Amino acid sequence: MERQWWHGAIAYQIYPKSFMDSGGDGIGDLRGIIGKLDYLRDLGVNLLWLSPAYPSPLADEGYDISDYYGVDPRFGTLADMDELIAESGKRGMKVILDLVVNHCSDEHEWFQDVLRNPDSPYRDYFYIVDKRPDGKLPTNWRSHFGGSVWEPLGDTDKLYLHVFHKKQPDLNWQNPTMREEVRKNIEWWLDRGIAGFRIDAIANIGKAFPFRDYPVDGPDGLSGLDNMFDSSDGPGAYLTELRDKAFKPRGALTVGEVFVTDPEHIDEWIGPDGYFNSIFDFSGTLFGNNTGWHDKKKITAEDYKDCVFGMQEAAGENCFFSNIIENHDESRGVNYYLPDGEITDAGKKMLAGLYFMLRGIPFIYQGQELGMENAVIGSMDDVKDCASIGAYKISRDAGLSDEEAMAGVRRFSRDNARTPMQWDDTPNAGFTTGEPWLPVNPNYKKINAAAQIADEDSMLSFYKRLISLRKNAEYADTLVYGKTEPYLREQKNLFAYKRTGDKTLLIAGNFQNKPQDMRLPSAPKRVLINNYDEAAITGDTMRLSPYQFVVIEA
Ligand code: NOJ
């Protein structure tokens, strides 16, 4: 395959609102990020993804954009963004931004014009329809955040479609003029020096026409959106156009937020002629999804192995996934993947090492490199995340008690990963001198960057070792382009695989709280990474300690 600069990228996701506040208003900002670029360079990452910092009412924390050409004053100015891009570049880090074009904000000028003016030229930028003759809503679709997808258009008797929050009206991709607006915006940002985009919720642009009801699948009398999307032609035609007209001519990197787990369709998205360069592997995240957060199954080591190996196999040698254990929409990976009560430093390091050595681009979400953990959520009064409010209601509608519904929220709320970055042990973890918009996790005295920078055994130091191995000239080629071959797949709670290229590397994690023996494929040449001091190798067997993780050159 033709080699590309991003194949060897090591990415870091910044959630601007919670990264670093330079102004004391309790909200992170671009100048705060600029002040921490040396920290990111020292970590070793070379690609930064910034979640949205565009002007926004922040109903969905910036994923509701009211101006595609600006920066929200709470986050800074366009000049700050230019400086951030330039200063990152000086430190060897490229920047990608979020492209959020399934929907905009209801406060965007296009939608505002539609509200004011019945003859607005922007009417066809949205899906605006009449009620049915019997007064019923046009369809019975449930939005991703719960409740109907239909909302009255101001005080008219028309309705507009929103598959997410009601302040996020969906853009009409059938409209070529609207698509041209998106293309212009993409080019404008690329010309400002960014390397590409993480592309938000993009599969949602391919709706099924004509709009109609689908089978009811919940006590709310509504039908989940998958039913509709499954009957659509998909977004392929629009994405091909974007790729050929906007992304390719400028060599942009594109990483799609797409939830594909069917191996047969991976190629369509990220094969040699795919719509994007990469998409996230969400198979672990999606595992156990049922009717709501209250009945989502906890993932086990064996389930996780099946997810990861299934997708690595599907990607083969032509497709590059973006690998994650968490992001701003998920709970912290250490809480999600490690068994309750076993969230130790050894386990956290094992989890880090296991996904980091897979084929694909490893993405670190801010604070993950410190081993940050889920927020402490008391009641719904503490919750800011709009998705959690919808999910809580879905659980209550399904007949659960407050306590039962809260258990789901505590486990899966997006607030879990959105608490402020823990920089040091001073008040508010050094994130702000003001009142943080979301409370800091009380464990910041123990878990913070300042303490970990000084400690060779810290999570942060461990992540630095993982990153330098990926960049090490001797092993980089194997780690970037080598095959992933599951090893002793059937051995319970042993998560092991080989990466084979010009070298052979064995990556192994003992995914349990007790020792376990692993037969080695050959006499080891050297142990490259170990989250313990010792590697207990006798003959062709290695005794792994609880949650031990090793990378061995075989
Ligand atoms: C995915 C984003 O990551 C999430 O935060 C947002 O709520 C939805 N898309 C809607 O934009």
Side-chain angles (χ1 to χ4, degrees):
M1 76 188 299
E2 203 186 320
R3 298 196 164 195
Q4 308 285 348
W5 66 267
W6 51 267
H7 287 159
I10 295 151
Y12 188 94
Q13 182 193 352
I14 296 176
Y15 192 68
K17 203 174 179 190
S18 302
F19 192 63
M20 180 66 203
D21 172 21
S22 73
D25 62 356
I27 293 181
D29 47 50
L30 299 186
R31 299 226 66 81
I33 301 172
I34 294 170
K36 294 294 183 187
L37 290 176
D38 285 349
Y39 166 85
L40 297 170
R41 178 205 51 209
D42 294 349
L43 175 59
V45 298
N46 48 26
L47 181 66
L48 304 179
W49 154 30
L50 242 70
S51 279
Y54 310 95
S56 165
L58 304 185
D60 187 18
E61 305 302 0
Y63 283 90
D64 45 324
I65 298 175
S66 54
D67 175 4
Y68 286 102
Y69 292 88
V71 166
D72 192 285
R74 282 166 288 193
F75 294 129
T77 62
L78 258 182
D80 294 333
M81 183 62 94
D82 289 341
E83 188 176 327
L84 194 160
I85 297 165
E87 288 299 319
S88 302
K90 283 185 199 158
R91 291 165 178 79
M93 298 180 290
K94 295 183 196 281
V95 175
I96 61 174
L97 295 184
D98 233 296
L99 181 70
V100 188
V101 287
N102 170 67
H103 45 266
C104 60
S105 160
D106 65 343
E107 297 184 28
H108 190 288
E109 187 44 34
W110 297 334
F111 196 77
Q112 287 296 309
D113 196 68
V114 172
L115 285 176
R116 285 190 301 264
N117 174 7
D119 301 318
S120 168
Y122 300 113
R123 235 179 152 69
D124 281 347
Y125 278 39
F126 300 96
Y127 295 106
I128 294 171
V129 301
D130 291 314
K131 282 193 181 149
R132 297 189 213 186
D134 59 4
K136 276 210 210 145
L137 295 176
T139 67
N140 64 351
W141 308 344
R142 179 187 308 111
S143 89
H144 292 300
F145 292 157
S148 167
V149 296
W150 297 105
E151 198 65 24
L153 180 73
D155 50 17
T156 71
D157 50 11
K158 307 252 178 227
L159 301 149
Y160 68 91
L161 175 77
H162 61 89
V163 302
F164 290 95
H165 195 275
K166 64 178 178 196
K167 283 184 70 65
Q168 292 169 304
D170 277 49
L171 289 165
N172 176 4
W173 277 75
Q174 288 191 306
N175 178 347
T177 318
M178 196 292 295
R179 299 205 301 274
E180 270 303 287
E181 296 276 7
V182 172
R183 185 183 59 78
K184 275 196 294 193
N185 181 250
I186 290 173
E187 290 175 354
W188 190 84
W189 278 108
L190 289 172
D191 291 347
R192 275 198 116 81
I194 62 165
F197 296 94
R198 173 267 188 186
I199 299 159
D200 184 73
I202 198 66
N204 289 273
I205 66 175
K207 317 274 194 291
F209 301 99
F211 289 171
R212 65 173 175 88
D213 282 349
Y214 291 90
V216 171
D217 56 16
D220 54 6
L222 299 174
S223 178
L225 281 165
D226 283 350
N227 298 324
M228 180 271 286
F229 287 123
D230 287 348
S231 4
S232 87
D233 291 340
Y238 306 136
L239 296 181
T240 305
E241 179 180 288
L242 270 193
R243 180 195 62 199
D244 295 344
K245 284 194 177 170
F247 299 132
K248 259 203 176 158
R250 282 173 166 72
L253 167 64
T254 53
V255 183
E257 190 212 17
V258 183
F259 294 82
V260 203
T261 48
D262 177 357
E264 290 200 357
H265 290 288
I266 303 299
D267 235 45
E268 194 183 307
W269 290 91
I270 53 172
D273 296 316
Y275 309 131
F276 300 128
N277 296 126
S278 184
I279 57 175
F280 293 99
D281 171 9
F282 286 121
S283 55
T285 322
L286 291 172
F287 175 85
N289 251 350
N290 223 320
T291 62
W293 285 355
H294 55 274
D295 60 0
K296 185 169 159 71
K297 255 183 29 200
K298 173 94 184 164
I299 192 164
T300 67
E302 293 308 297
D303 302 325
Y304 184 34
K305 265 160 73 173
D306 286 346
C307 292
V308 167
F309 291 147
M311 296 307 267
Q312 289 277 302
E313 199 183 321
E317 284 174 61
N318 280 325
C319 304
F320 264 78
F321 272 113
S322 288
N323 298 315
I324 56 164
I325 58 167
E326 63 193 46
N327 64 25
H328 66 292
D329 291 332
E330 304 300 328
S331 29
R332 288 286 180 180
V334 295
N335 294 84
Y336 183 76
Y337 289 105
L338 296 174
D340 297 338
E342 296 182 15
I343 305 175
T344 59
D345 259 22
K348 288 180 181 182
K349 289 175 183 167
M350 177 207 68
L351 198 60
L354 283 176
Y355 97 99
F356 223 82
M357 296 299 142
L358 292 169
R359 195 167 185 286
I361 310 174
F363 273 71
I364 300 171
Y365 173 70
Q366 67 183 43
Q368 178 190 321
E369 76 278 19
L370 306 175
M372 277 180 64
E373 297 175 7
N374 275 353
V376 178
I377 301 173
S379 68
M380 280 311 283
D381 293 340
D382 301 335
V383 171
K384 292 268 194 319
D385 164 32
C386 61
S388 301
I389 295 165
Y392 174 84
K393 190 164 178 315
I394 289 176
S395 300
R396 292 306 301 268
D397 287 349
L400 274 85
S401 68
D402 168 69
E403 205 29 55
E404 287 162 333
M406 275 314 296
V409 170
R410 289 192 189 105
R411 208 177 249 287
F412 299 114
S413 173
R414 306 192 300 180
D415 284 349
N416 278 316
R418 296 178 179 184
T419 60
M421 179 74 177
Q422 294 167 203
W423 292 107
D424 57 37
D425 65 0
T426 64
N428 294 321
F431 162 71
T432 180
T433 52
E435 178 74 21
W437 73 277
L438 193 64
V440 170
N441 192 315
N443 66 14
Y444 73 91
K445 297 245 176 217
K446 225 178 79 210
I447 300 179
N448 65 69
Q452 297 198 16
I453 288 170
D455 174 3
E456 265 185 21
D457 278 335
S458 66
M459 282 302 297
L460 181 65
S461 300
F462 190 74
Y463 267 95
K464 287 184 181 171
R465 272 156 52 205
L466 296 173
I467 293 172
S468 36
L469 181 63
R470 270 206 155 247
K471 287 173 151 179
N472 180 322
E474 244 183 281
Y475 303 102
D477 204 78
T478 301
L479 284 168
V480 175
Y481 294 104
K483 280 194 202 156
T484 303
E485 296 173 20
Y487 180 67
L488 300 179
R489 185 169 177 161
E490 303 309 321
Q491 189 169 325
K492 191 160 176 233
N493 292 345
L494 176 72
F495 192 140
Y497 55 94
K498 289 193 218 166
R499 295 298 313 276
T500 54
D502 37 332
K503 306 265 180 197
T504 298
L505 301 175
L506 172 67
I507 290 97
N510 178 21
F511 217 122
Q512 60 181 8
N513 210 8
K514 53 182 187 203
Q516 134 160 256
D517 286 344
M518 169 179 69
R519 189 178 46 76
L520 295 169
S522 56
K525 289 200 184 118
R526 64 192 78 129
V527 178
L528 298 168
I529 304 251
N530 189 352
N531 63 350
Y532 274 72
D533 293 336
E534 302 291 325
I537 300 175
T538 324
D540 67 352
T541 301
M542 175 165 185
R543 166 145 295 198
L544 293 163
S545 295
Y547 291 108
Q548 185 162 14
F549 171 81
V550 284
V551 180
I552 292 175
E553 185 175 348

